[in-house]
Amino acid sequence: MKTRVFSGMQPTGNLHIGNYLGALKNWVRIQHDYECIFCIVDLHAVTLYQEPGELRAKIAEIAALYLAAGIDPQVCSIMVQSAVPAHAELAWMLTCVTPVGWLERMTQYKTKAAKQESVSDGLLQYPVLMAADILLYQAGIVPVGEDQAQHLELTRDVAQRFNSLYGDTFVVPGTSLPAVGARIMGLDDPTQKMSKSATGQNHAVALLDPPDKIRKTIMRATTDSSPGVDPETAGPGVLNLLAIYQAFSGDGDDEMKRHFAGMRYGELKKQVAEMVVTHLEPFQQRYRQIISDPGYLAAVLRDGAARVAPIANDTVRLVKQRMGLYT
Ligand code: AMP
Ligand code: TRP
């Protein structure tokens, strides 16, 4: 049997090249090697308030972005988290074996909670729901960007704790980070990771930005005051631009050095911008075609949920048996 892969994205904000290079691009690359489930995690999105109409539209948008990136719904299952109730059900059972202290230590929780006046219980439970997503399908590999590594560590801890309390039940999953692009930084501030929720004008390149806007954002990227690229001493801004170029082009390290050594920053930015535009233009064309066919999108999501629900239900049944719950 093929190893199962599970990953997901929240239907919030605008997907950017960090999401693409850190996660989506790798999903497309491995989709034929494993049995893949790609989820739109709407239950995670509502850990912070979402306007209901916007959330509904974002779910369709993310599904269309997965398809436009090249995820093949004949080969993989694309599904919405709330369409399979077992996600929420297993999450409850896992919260009962997860110490609150583990959750309070999560850096993403601390950052998000610091920005809220009142913190929902859901925000604290967020990583347990993520653990449920993964463990429900006995996934062996979880391809994500670097910011999710801590949540995956927690998923492994929860799985191991459950297994030791109730007997072997869950596969303990591994993380899969891309070699280049696991952490794309903000273009306006290369010390902060590129984030969907940041508000700065020149912070991110969104996957659906028009080419002119992409060029403008990249040409304004923060670099340093050296006259040209020196791969040995380059600061974070230049390294980030090089990483973006390399992740899109697939060039090797030596090729990159040879090509960019000594290049002036203006020229570097121009080449990075063209590399990004060249990749995103056909992607955006496919997106427009897909999003204009809501019937097709609905069918893909319905099929995806129908295909994975039996796996999820089997796991919940097993967990209930192990815990002595009513089955
Ligand atoms: P999210 O937008 O939080 O739902 O994240 C979706 C996926 O994109 C996750 O696998 C993240 O790890 C990944 N990701 C988010 N931001 C970045 C970034 N700046 N660089 C690389 N990967 C990222
Ligand atoms: N927390 C992840 C993020 O924000 C999204 C996510 C939810 C996820 N459940 C998952 C990713 C399961 C991988 C596997 O990026």
Side-chain angles (χ1 to χ4, degrees):
M1 208 180 74
K2 278 188 186 174
T3 300
R4 207 169 276 141
V5 165
F6 185 97
S7 196
M9 294 200 191
Q10 299 187 66
T12 55
N14 293 320
L15 249 62
H16 51 64
I17 54 174
N19 300 119
Y20 180 71
L21 299 174
L24 196 47
K25 184 168 180 280
N26 302 300
W27 301 359
V28 175
R29 187 172 50 83
I30 63 175
Q31 64 181 332
H32 295 285
D33 303 332
Y34 303 101
E35 184 191 332
C36 295
I37 303 170
F38 298 120
C39 191
I40 297 154
V41 292
D42 55 348
L43 295 172
H44 278 102
V46 295
T47 54
L48 298 174
Y49 175 79
Q50 306 297 329
E51 198 284 313
E54 272 172 31
L55 179 59
R56 214 166 286 127
K58 274 287 163 192
I59 291 171
E61 180 183 309
I62 303 282
L65 286 169
Y66 285 4
L67 292 166
I71 304 278
D72 180 352
Q74 305 292 331
V75 177
C76 313
S77 303
I78 301 178
M79 44 96 46
V80 182
Q81 191 182 30
S82 66
V84 178
H87 287 252
E89 200 177 357
L90 180 62
W92 173 257
M93 291 136 181
L94 298 181
T95 59
C96 297
V97 301
T98 307
V100 176
W102 290 4
L103 299 174
E104 285 169 340
R105 274 200 293 278
M106 295 291 111
T107 52
Q108 189 172 295
Y109 168 72
K110 287 194 276 193
T111 314
K112 285 187 181 173
K115 292 184 194 153
Q116 304 297 312
E117 246 172 60
S118 144
V119 176
S120 75
D121 190 18
L123 196 61
L124 184 64
Q125 307 292 333
Y126 180 111
V128 184
L129 179 60
M130 179 162 161
D133 296 340
I134 297 163
L135 302 180
L136 202 48
Y137 299 103
Q138 309 286 11
I141 300 174
V142 184
V144 284
E146 196 183 84
D147 60 342
Q148 297 302 313
Q150 194 186 33
H151 287 158
L152 280 176
E153 197 57 47
L154 182 102
T155 299
R156 281 191 282 277
D157 290 344
V158 170
Q160 273 155 355
R161 194 174 164 107
F162 190 99
N163 285 349
S164 74
L165 280 170
Y166 293 107
D168 240 8
T169 307
F170 294 121
V171 169
V172 179
T175 311
S176 168
L177 297 181
V180 183
R183 189 173 176 83
I184 298 297
M185 309 307 281
L187 292 166
D188 56 345
D189 177 1
T191 64
Q192 303 292 319
K193 75 158 187 175
M194 188 176 284
S195 148
K196 280 184 198 165
S197 54
T199 47
Q201 270 276 313
N202 297 313
H203 173 75
V205 170
L207 294 179
L208 297 176
D209 276 349
D212 280 355
K213 178 148 191 277
I214 297 175
R215 291 194 181 95
K216 226 180 258 168
T217 310
I218 294 176
M219 293 310 289
R220 288 184 185 154
T222 303
T223 46
D224 48 51
S225 53
S226 307
V229 179
D230 178 350
E232 306 301 324
T233 60
V238 171
L239 288 176
N240 192 38
L241 289 169
L242 291 171
I244 292 170
Y245 184 98
Q246 187 175 17
F248 273 109
S249 71
D251 288 348
D253 292 348
D254 290 345
E255 227 172 325
M256 286 291 295
K257 257 187 214 151
R258 230 175 300 126
H259 185 74
F260 285 107
M263 190 183 282
R264 295 194 159 277
Y265 290 162
E267 180 61 21
L268 162 70
K269 290 178 181 176
K270 216 185 276 171
Q271 294 203 8
V272 174
E274 287 322 305
M275 177 60 69
V276 176
V277 167
T278 305
H279 275 80
L280 291 190
E281 265 185 331
F283 172 90
Q284 294 180 355
Q285 252 167 27
R286 285 194 297 274
Y287 172 82
R288 282 191 290 269
Q289 211 172 6
I290 295 162
I291 200 75
S292 67
D293 190 350
Y296 171 67
L297 270 179
V300 166
L301 295 176
R302 208 169 37 240
D303 281 2
R307 235 184 288 164
V308 303
I311 311 170
N313 293 338
D314 278 355
T315 305
V316 166
R317 201 170 312 114
L318 176 65
V319 168
K320 282 173 129 184
Q321 278 165 3
R322 290 279 149 88
M323 294 181 85
L325 294 165
Y326 186 75
T327 51

